[in-house]
Amino acid sequence: MDPTAKDPKATDPQALDPTALDPTATETKGPSPVASRRLRVFVLVGGAYLALAVGVWWHVWTGHPTTSTTCGCGDPAFTLWFTAFAAHAVSTGTSLLHTSLLWHPTGVNVLDDASQLGLGVPLAPVTWIWGPVASTNVALTLAPAVSALAAFALLERWHLWSPASFVGGLLYGFSPLVLLNLAEAHLVVGFCAGLPLIALGLDALMTGPCRRPIITGSLLGIVAAWQFTISSEVLLITAAACAVVMATVVVARTGSGRVEVVGRSTWLGLGAGGVVAVLLLAGPVWFALAGPSHVTGAIYPGSGVAISGASLSKALWPASPSSAFDAYVARIGGYQGTHLAGEYLGIGVVVVVVLGVIIWRRDRRLQLCAGIGALFFVFGLGSSPSGWRPWDLVAHLPLAQNIIPVRLLLVTWLSWAAVVALVADHVYKELPARLSRDEQRSSRVQWIGGLAVLATAVVPPTVYLTQTLPLTVEPVVAPTWFTSVAPRLSGHQVVLALPVPFSAIQSSLSWQVAAGLSFAMAGGDGPGSDLAHAGVHREAEEALASVSGAFPQTPIGPGAPTAVRRALADWGVTRVVLPHE
């Protein structure tokens, strides 16, 4: 019995075409039955992912999505601020790239911050109608669903068993790394659709022939530019992964004696993508690196970014929630629910990857994905005091020094989710022929074997996440002054609000949003909150952060009052607000 006879994709001539899932390769005479079926599948899968995302944010959508979100404090307040800023800049015609609404009068280079303009600008209509809390909730809900769907699209291009592709997308878009970053409103990590979409475009060009390489490459350049506006850090990680993949493929083809290592269509597509990316990104990249208020060197030199990598033990085995850390976050602000280890992969994923590599060692795609995932996991362990880990080799390079190593596990999750899908596909298609020639029994064996592989991988992280899902939310509440007095202020007002936002207690950012960004803020968050960037006003910032309740407490010296008065004058502060309710 042919083990693939039950799979319609295995007997469909169009499905066997390596460019069949290339959206640029479709005919223009009208939708074919295959295209219509593909569209229905994507709608159903996308709907399933969206339903799961709504379940993750159940307390938002069954409560008050215009007033409640993960938190109006800590990092969520920073994300909320930039969501509001994007809509404000579009509506007022002011610059999207630089603003003095924070850190007045110098201002901030928006592209050096976690600004997510690629999400805030498209969601501006939602912000205008329902407010920034609602648009932030929309982004947080779409993030895992869209990321999972992008990974599903990549896996479907390989004509895998559909349940395997679905679970592969699920593992990536709803991984602990993604969901626990979304709990802190870190959309720069949680909205990670760009990585699989860029991989999809590169796969279309490298495994061609691609029928329309210039269009495919141009789309690839557009996606890269969009990813830059969401997270330049993730774009850099993606570029590193793509470089490793391309180098590996070229070396493998050269070793196999292929005359044409890279085809003409590949060069055309990559060239078109490069041209489009340069045209779209040349200006923004220059602005981020050399524009007004740009940050030179490490963005957070005092944060220990280089050593904040994954833990091998926490990646393999469930880590218990830390009550001490939960209490600390409850004090300074941030996600108010149970904090788990975002680097958790689960022993099931690792078992499937290892066994898959051993059993299907002739599957080059499986071997490549497994190897890329392992490589980025090892680098994702970060630095060590003794300097022996791989990340120590690149940690101090100009761009790498601003990458948080644990975020390299995005590549690991996508790569190993692909391995899980490939292994399940192999089991589904090959196991029945080895065990039984009875057609009815073979069908049962197909499903049981394939689903067993998928369950082995997906159950451990799912069980782990149930400790904090659905995610905890709370109302975003501003003191009365910011909702009743601040919107009616006349003239150019600069406010210093206590607690100051650079104390890690960032609630005043959400208060400024509640006031409609009607005044400029002395101080802010982002790179400027690192005291290494404080400059001549370091003593004043340390004193203001200390009286705001920041941790650790800094002793206030006798010169602090004079330093604070000088700083307030230089910042142009017109009002100091100490909320009492």
Side-chain angles (χ1 to χ4, degrees), residues 259-576:
V259 176
E260 187 178 53
V261 176
V262 179
R264 178 174 177 272
S265 65
T266 301
W267 285 121
L268 282 174
L270 293 176
V275 169
V276 170
V278 168
L279 290 174
L280 294 176
L281 288 177
V285 169
W286 172 86
F287 199 95
L289 297 178
S293 305
H294 72 278
V295 179
T296 302
I299 291 180
Y300 296 103
S303 65
V305 164
I307 62 174
S308 56
S311 162
L312 182 60
S313 60
K314 290 181 180 179
L316 298 179
W317 306 105
S320 301
S322 170
S323 57
F325 185 73
D326 287 346
Y328 168 76
V329 174
R331 171 65 181 85
I332 68 166
Y335 179 57
Q336 302 297 300
T338 302
H339 288 79
L340 302 176
E343 66 260 47
Y344 180 66
L345 295 166
I347 193 66
V349 169
V350 177
V351 167
V352 172
V353 170
V354 171
L355 292 180
V357 167
I358 295 172
I359 297 173
W360 286 282
R361 52 189 173 274
R362 294 185 179 180
D363 186 332
R364 293 185 177 181
R365 178 178 282 140
L366 189 154
Q367 299 290 321
L368 176 61
C369 290
I372 295 297
L375 177 67
F376 276 76
F377 176 79
V378 171
F379 274 85
L381 294 174
S383 297
S384 66
S386 57
W388 62 269
R389 292 180 183 173
W391 184 250
D392 291 302
L393 300 174
V394 299
H396 301 294
L397 294 179
L399 295 178
Q401 64 184 334
N402 290 320
I403 291 177
I404 298 177
V406 71
R407 294 178 178 178
L408 295 171
L409 266 61
L410 278 176
V411 178
T412 300
W413 265 113
L414 180 61
S415 301
W416 285 359
V419 172
V420 169
L422 287 164
V423 171
D425 180 73
H426 276 299
V427 170
Y428 176 79
K429 292 176 180 177
E430 298 173 13
L431 191 60
R434 298 182 182 183
L435 297 183
S436 174
R437 295 186 177 277
D438 178 79
E439 183 175 347
Q440 185 175 3
R441 184 179 177 185
S442 294
S443 179
R444 290 197 301 270
V445 170
Q446 279 182 307
W447 280 89
I448 292 172
L451 292 178
V453 172
L454 298 178
T456 300
V458 80
V459 168
T462 301
V463 171
Y464 186 61
L465 288 170
T466 55
Q467 298 177 77
T468 196
L469 295 179
L471 294 174
T472 300
V473 301
E474 61 179 29
V476 178
V477 179
T480 303
W481 187 89
F482 291 91
T483 56
S484 61
V485 178
R488 298 197 302 270
L489 293 174
S490 60
H492 178 64
Q493 300 289 331
V494 181
V495 172
L496 176 74
L498 295 174
V500 291
F502 48 85
S503 65
I505 304 174
Q506 303 167 50
S507 302
S508 55
L509 295 178
S510 64
W511 302 344
Q512 189 185 13
V513 168
L517 302 181
S518 57
F519 58 82
M521 180 82 78
D525 193 52
S529 62
D530 194 303
L531 288 174
H533 297 301
V536 296
H537 294 306
R538 176 164 185 157
E539 185 179 4
E541 290 187 23
E542 287 181 332
L544 290 169
S546 184
V547 299
S548 294
F551 295 108
Q553 292 285 331
T554 302
I556 299 177
T562 301
V564 169
R565 283 194 294 268
R566 186 182 304 116
L568 296 182
D570 289 350
W571 295 338
V573 172
T574 58
R575 294 173 183 265
V576 176

Side-chain angles (χ1 to χ4, degrees), residues 8-380:
K9 290 186 288 186
T11 57
D12 182 355
Q14 285 186 270
L16 295 174
D17 179 359
T19 63
L21 286 174
D22 181 359
T24 66
T26 57
E27 296 293 334
T28 58
K29 297 180 180 179
S32 66
V34 173
S36 298
R37 174 190 172 276
R38 188 180 308 128
L39 178 61
R40 289 194 299 271
V41 169
F42 272 80
V43 170
L44 288 173
V45 169
Y49 288 148
L50 183 59
L52 289 172
V54 170
V56 169
W57 293 103
W58 185 252
H59 295 312
V60 163
W61 299 108
T62 58
H64 302 281
T66 61
T67 58
S68 296
T69 189
T70 179
C71 183
C73 52
D75 286 352
F78 198 43
T79 298
L80 185 66
W81 194 94
F82 273 111
T83 301
F85 166 76
H88 172 81
V90 172
S91 63
T92 59
T94 53
S95 174
L96 276 165
L97 305 183
H98 185 271
T99 181
S100 59
L101 287 170
L102 291 182
W103 294 104
H104 186 274
T106 305
V108 295
N109 188 311
V110 175
L111 295 178
D112 283 346
D113 277 279
S115 54
Q116 306 106 30
L117 291 177
L119 301 176
V121 171
L123 288 172
V126 179
T127 305
W128 297 331
I129 298 171
W130 291 289
V133 173
S135 51
T136 298
N137 285 330
V138 170
L140 291 171
T141 303
L142 289 177
V146 174
S147 302
L149 187 61
F152 173 82
L154 172 64
L155 298 175
E156 273 291 283
R157 175 177 167 77
W158 300 342
H159 313 298
L160 305 183
W161 181 42
S162 291
S165 298
F166 176 82
V167 172
L170 184 71
L171 282 170
Y172 175 70
F174 291 81
S175 66
L177 181 64
V178 168
L179 294 187
L180 297 176
N181 269 280
L182 290 177
E184 290 287 354
H186 293 161
L187 284 166
V188 290
V189 182
F191 202 105
C192 51
L195 174 58
L197 288 178
I198 291 173
L200 174 62
L202 191 63
D203 186 69
L205 293 174
M206 295 291 290
T207 61
C210 181
R211 295 179 185 176
R212 297 180 181 177
I214 294 179
I215 294 178
T216 301
S218 298
L219 291 174
L220 187 60
I222 291 172
V223 172
W226 179 54
Q227 178 60 61
F228 176 84
T229 64
I230 297 173
S231 172
S232 56
E233 179 186 15
V234 172
L235 178 61
L236 185 60
I237 292 171
T238 301
C242 290
V244 173
V245 169
M246 292 178 66
T248 304
V249 170
V250 169
V251 170
R253 289 178 178 178
T254 303
S256 64
R258 290 184 56 168
V259 176
E260 187 178 53
V261 176
V262 179
R264 178 174 177 272
S265 65
T266 301
W267 285 121
L268 282 174
L270 293 176
V275 169
V276 170
V278 168
L279 290 174
L280 294 176
L281 288 177
V285 169
W286 172 86
F287 199 95
L289 297 178
S293 305
H294 72 278
V295 179
T296 302
I299 291 180
Y300 296 103
S303 65
V305 164
I307 62 174
S308 56
S311 162
L312 182 60
S313 60
K314 290 181 180 179
L316 298 179
W317 306 105
S320 301
S322 170
S323 57
F325 185 73
D326 287 346
Y328 168 76
V329 174
R331 171 65 181 85
I332 68 166
Y335 179 57
Q336 302 297 300
T338 302
H339 288 79
L340 302 176
E343 66 260 47
Y344 180 66
L345 295 166
I347 193 66
V349 169
V350 177
V351 167
V352 172
V353 170
V354 171
L355 292 180
V357 167
I358 295 172
I359 297 173
W360 286 282
R361 52 189 173 274
R362 294 185 179 180
D363 186 332
R364 293 185 177 181
R365 178 178 282 140
L366 189 154
Q367 299 290 321
L368 176 61
C369 290
I372 295 297
L375 177 67
F376 276 76
F377 176 79
V378 171
F379 274 85

